[in-house]
Amino acid sequence: MPLRLLKYALSRKHPAPRFFRDCTEPKKSYDAVIIGGGGHGLAAAYYLAKDHGITNVAVLEKGYIGGGNTGRNTTIVRSNYLTPEGVNFYDASVKIYEGLSEELDINLFYSTRGHFTLAHTESALRTMRWRAEVNKHVGVDSYVVGPDEISKACPQLDISCSGKAPIVGALYHGPGSIARHDAVAWGYARGADSMGVEIFQNTEVTGLDIQSGKIKGVHTSRGYIATNKVLSAVAGFTPRITNMAGVDTPIVIHPLQACVSEPMKPWLDTILVSGSLHVYVSQSSRGELVMGSSLDPYEVHSTRSSLDFVEGLTSHMLDMFPFLSNVKIVRQWAGMADMTPDFSPIMGTTPVEGFYLDAGWGTWGFKATPISGKTMAATMANDQAPELIKPFRLSRFEDYDLTGEKGAASVGH
Amino acid sequence: MKLLTCPVNGTRPLSEFVFGGEMRNMPDPAQASDSAWAAYVYNRTGAPGLKKEWWFHSPSGTWFVAERNTLTDQVARTYLYGQEDKA
Ligand SMILES: Cc1cc2nc3c(=O)[nH]c(=O)nc-3n(C[C@H](O)[C@H](O)[C@H](O)COP(=O)(O)OP(=O)(O)OC[C@H]3O[C@@H](n4cnc5c(N)ncnc54)[C@H](O)[C@@H]3O)c2cc1C
C-alpha cells in the first residue's frame, strides 16, 4: 500500500481511484438481483460470488452505496445479546469482522475497545447477569464488573452520575468494537465488483413482477430486469418493498438519531452504554465523540433530526462527564430504523418464491453486516435458510416463536 | 410536527403527548383463524401514508385519534374516538 501511494504521488496524473465500475445500462436479465446497496446488500452480493460462484448479479441502489443506515450508524459491533440464538449469530459476525480488513484489503479501522453496559439499578444489574450467563454459555467473553473496574477503565466517568443515578455495576464485553462504516460498504462493493457483480447507483426499484406466487423480475428507474431471485435489503424502506410483494410483516419505521462532538485528543478508549440515561458513546479514530440514544418515540419515514434529541442526550452526557460542558456538538443526523416487535431481524425466505428478505435491522444491524451477507447469500443459492438464521424467519410471528432481544438492544445498539 | 391538537385541550407541545400506535380493528377472536389472529397481533401497515393513530395527551389523560401522514409528519385532523363525523 505505501508503495502504491508513493507511485500515485509521483505520477503526473491523479485520477480518483475507482472502487467499482460505473454501471448504468443493466442487462435484460440476471441470475439474482439485490435491492439496496447498503452493507447488507453488498455483502450478500460479495458472498454470492465468493461462496457460491453466482456472479451474474446486479445490485440496485436508489441513491449512492452506503448512503442509507450503513453510513449513518454509530458502528458498534458486539455479540453480548440475550438469547443463545442471538449471541451465536452476532458472534459469528464479530469473528468475520476481525479478519475483514485483511480479506477486503481495505482499512476498516476496526478497533476493539471493550464495551460496558452500565447498570444504575439492581434490576438492570439482574439483566446484565442474565446476559453474562447466556454469553458465557455460548462462549462469548462477557461478565459483570463493579464500579471500581469501570472507574479504572474510564477514570473520567462520574460514577455517581452527578448524584442522580449512581452506577452500581456493568456488563463488560471485551470484543466490543467500532469500525469505519462506509469502508465496510466500499470494501464489499469492490470485492463483489471484482468478481463480476454489477452495481447500479441512482437506480430505484419501483415494482416487483410476481406471477403465480413466483418472482419474475423487477421494474426499475432504468427499465425492466428479469430474474428468478430477488433479495430485499433496504432497511428503512422495507415496508415499501414488501408492499410491492404483498408480503405482510410487523416492521414499523422510527427515526434513530445520532450526533458527534468536535474532535478531541483521545481520552475515551472504551464504549459506554447507559440504558437508564438513554445514551451511548465512543470516541472515533478522528477524535470525535460519537453519541446516540434510543429511538424517536413515534413512526416517521424521514431522516430529519431534532433539537429535542441533542438537548436530551447532552444533558445525560453531562451527568456522566461534567467536564465536557464546553465541548461543542458539530453534527447530527438520523436514519430510518426498521423495527420489529422482538428486536431481532427478519431473514430468509418469504411466501413469494424467489423473493428473499433481509430486514428488521432496526438499530442493531451494522454489526451483522458480514454474517447476514453470508447467510442471505446461502439462502438465495440454496433456496433455504441456514440453521443459524432460522430463529429469525418471518414465520416466527405466526408461530408465536419470537427471539426476544429487547433487553440487549433497545439503547445499546 | 412540534405541536399537536388535542380535541379536548387544544394545541399543545408534542412533549405532552404519547404515541399509541396504529388504529386497528380487532377480528372476532372466536371466529378468526390462528393465522389471522397472529397477523392481527403482530403485523402492521408499515408503508408510509395517511394513517389513523392513537395518541394520548398525558397531562389530561385523554386518548384520541389523529389522522397523520407518516411520510410528511403532517396531521390532517384529530378527534375523540367515535366522533369522527364531528371533526
Ligand atoms: C443513528 C443510527 C445508529 C445506529 N447504530 C448502530 C450501531 O451502533 N451498531 C449496529 O450494529 N447497528 C447500528 N444501527 C443500525 C444499522 O445502521 C442498520 O441496521 C444497518 O446499517 C442496515 O444496513 P442495510 O445495508 O440493511 O441498510 P442500508 O444501509 O439502509 O441500505 C439500504 C439501501 O437500500 C436503498 N434502497 C431503498 N429503497 C430502494 C429501492 N426501492 N430501490 C433501490 N434501492 C433502495 C437505500 O437507498 C439504502 O442505501 C444504527 C442505525 C442508525 C440510524
Side-chain angles (χ1 to χ4, degrees):
Chain A
M1 188 62 186
L3 209 81
R4 223 196 299 165
L5 195 65
L6 195 69
K7 258 168 85 180
Y8 185 77
L10 294 177
S11 86
R12 273 171 200 282
K13 293 196 193 112
H14 297 100
R18 277 210 70 89
F19 269 60
F20 52 93
R21 287 160 294 157
D22 185 18
C23 299
T24 51
E25 297 279 329
K27 290 189 282 195
K28 285 205 165 53
S29 77
Y30 289 89
D31 293 342
V33 164
I34 294 172
I35 315 174
H40 283 236
L42 293 163
Y46 174 84
Y47 293 112
L48 264 181
K50 182 165 176 260
D51 296 356
H52 306 280
I54 302 176
T55 57
N56 184 24
V57 176
V59 178
L60 309 178
E61 165 54 53
K62 78 184 175 83
Y64 55 92
I65 68 160
N69 289 354
T70 296
R72 296 167 189 270
N73 75 83
T74 44
T75 82
I76 295 171
V77 175
R78 62 185 178 89
S79 60
N80 56 350
Y81 277 72
L82 191 58
T83 65
E85 296 83 355
V87 180
N88 260 322
F89 173 75
Y90 292 108
D91 184 44
S93 210
V94 170
K95 291 197 171 118
I96 304 180
Y97 257 126
E98 285 167 350
L100 197 60
S101 289
E102 199 120 317
E103 177 174 348
L104 298 178
D105 190 21
I106 185 171
N107 190 349
L108 300 178
F109 288 80
Y110 189 81
S111 171
T112 300
R113 300 288 184 88
H115 180 285
F116 289 89
T117 314
L118 306 173
H120 304 258
T121 60
E122 268 309 313
S123 70
L125 205 54
R126 209 175 317 132
T127 314
M128 310 297 168
R129 286 200 197 97
W130 175 6
R131 279 169 69 181
E133 291 313 313
V134 173
N135 294 170
K136 280 184 226 165
H137 179 71
V138 179
V140 163
D141 171 19
S142 170
Y143 49 92
V144 172
V145 296
D148 293 349
E149 284 140 295
I150 306 168
S151 281
K152 215 167 127 196
C154 183
Q156 298 87 349
L157 176 66
D158 177 352
I159 286 286
S160 82
C161 291
S162 306
K164 288 183 195 155
I167 294 165
V168 295
L171 179 66
Y172 178 69
H173 177 49
S177 303
I178 52 175
R180 213 184 103 200
H181 43 24
D182 52 334
V184 173
W186 284 74
Y188 275 123
R190 182 173 63 186
D193 173 272
S194 71
M195 292 182 280
V197 171
E198 295 177 6
I199 299 166
F200 295 88
Q201 301 189 100
N202 293 314
T203 307
E204 180 169 3
V205 170
T206 52
L208 301 177
D209 179 14
I210 296 168
Q211 291 167 27
S212 348
K214 287 186 189 158
I215 197 105
K216 292 288 168 197
V218 294
H219 299 280
T220 82
S221 55
R222 294 189 200 270
Y224 179 80
I225 300 171
T227 183
N228 293 322
K229 286 180 197 284
V230 172
L231 171 67
S232 170
V234 297
F237 295 85
T238 300
R240 304 186 205 195
I241 299 290
T242 49
N243 242 18
M244 296 175 191
V247 171
D248 290 332
T249 79
I251 293 175
V252 287
I253 308 300
H254 285 243
L256 179 68
Q257 305 194 44
C259 63
V260 293
S261 73
E262 58 190 320
M264 280 171 275
K265 283 186 184 169
W267 61 269
L268 179 66
D269 61 1
T270 59
I271 306 163
L272 296 174
V273 182
S274 164
S276 310
L277 296 181
H278 297 278
V279 342
Y280 63 93
V281 57
S282 67
Q283 189 170 21
S284 76
S285 40
R286 265 203 300 235
E288 300 162 330
L289 295 180
V290 179
M291 294 167 285
S293 180
S294 36
L295 275 182
D296 279 15
Y298 66 97
E299 175 186 354
V300 198
H301 295 255
S302 142
T303 53
R304 93 270 180 276
S305 37
S306 70
L307 184 62
D308 285 0
F309 160 76
V310 242
E311 274 184 348
L313 180 121
T314 48
S315 90
H316 289 311
M317 272 298 290
L318 291 181
D319 291 341
M320 291 165 68
F321 302 105
F323 75 98
L324 291 177
S325 59
N326 288 323
V327 172
K328 294 183 182 58
I329 299 295
V330 293
R331 256 190 344 272
Q332 69 174 119
W333 67 91
M336 297 193 304
D338 40 336
M339 299 302 295
T340 59
D342 57 358
F343 287 66
S344 280
I346 297 176
M347 307 176 75
T349 55
T350 70
V352 176
E353 204 182 313
F355 177 68
Y356 306 95
L357 198 55
D358 173 62
W361 288 110
T363 67
W364 53 84
F366 174 70
K367 69 181 67 62
T369 306
I371 194 66
S372 68
K374 215 172 168 66
T375 50
M376 286 312 301
T379 307
M380 293 172 78
N382 307 323
D383 195 34
Q384 198 191 351
E387 280 306 316
L388 193 62
I389 63 169
K390 287 212 173 125
F392 309 128
R393 71 200 183 281
L394 175 60
S395 60
R396 73 178 182 272
F397 298 102
E398 202 174 326
D399 304 340
Y400 297 95
D401 185 17
L402 274 55
T403 307
E405 287 290 3
K406 185 168 184 183
S410 61
V411 176
H413 311 307
Chain B
M1 182 170 73
K2 294 209 162 54
L3 300 170
L4 187 58
T5 302
C6 168
V8 175
N9 300 285
T11 303
R12 308 291 308 163
L14 188 59
S15 55
E16 292 184 5
F17 295 90
V18 179
F19 177 56
E22 185 185 350
M23 221 179 131
R24 298 170 314 121
N25 296 322
M26 186 171 81
D28 177 359
Q31 302 289 323
S33 66
D34 285 353
S35 71
W37 185 257
Y40 164 70
V41 172
Y42 292 114
N43 288 348
R44 296 292 181 272
T45 321
L50 191 68
K51 281 201 204 175
K52 286 187 190 173
E53 300 172 330
W54 286 112
W55 282 83
F56 180 64
H57 181 242
S58 60
S60 67
T62 313
W63 279 104
F64 61 94
V65 181
E67 292 181 5
R68 186 175 66 94
N69 185 324
T70 59
L71 188 63
T72 60
D73 200 17
Q74 273 164 344
V75 178
R77 54 180 191 153
T78 57
Y79 45 86
L80 291 175
Y81 180 70
Q83 301 189 4
E84 186 166 353
D85 299 340
K86 290 188 214 148

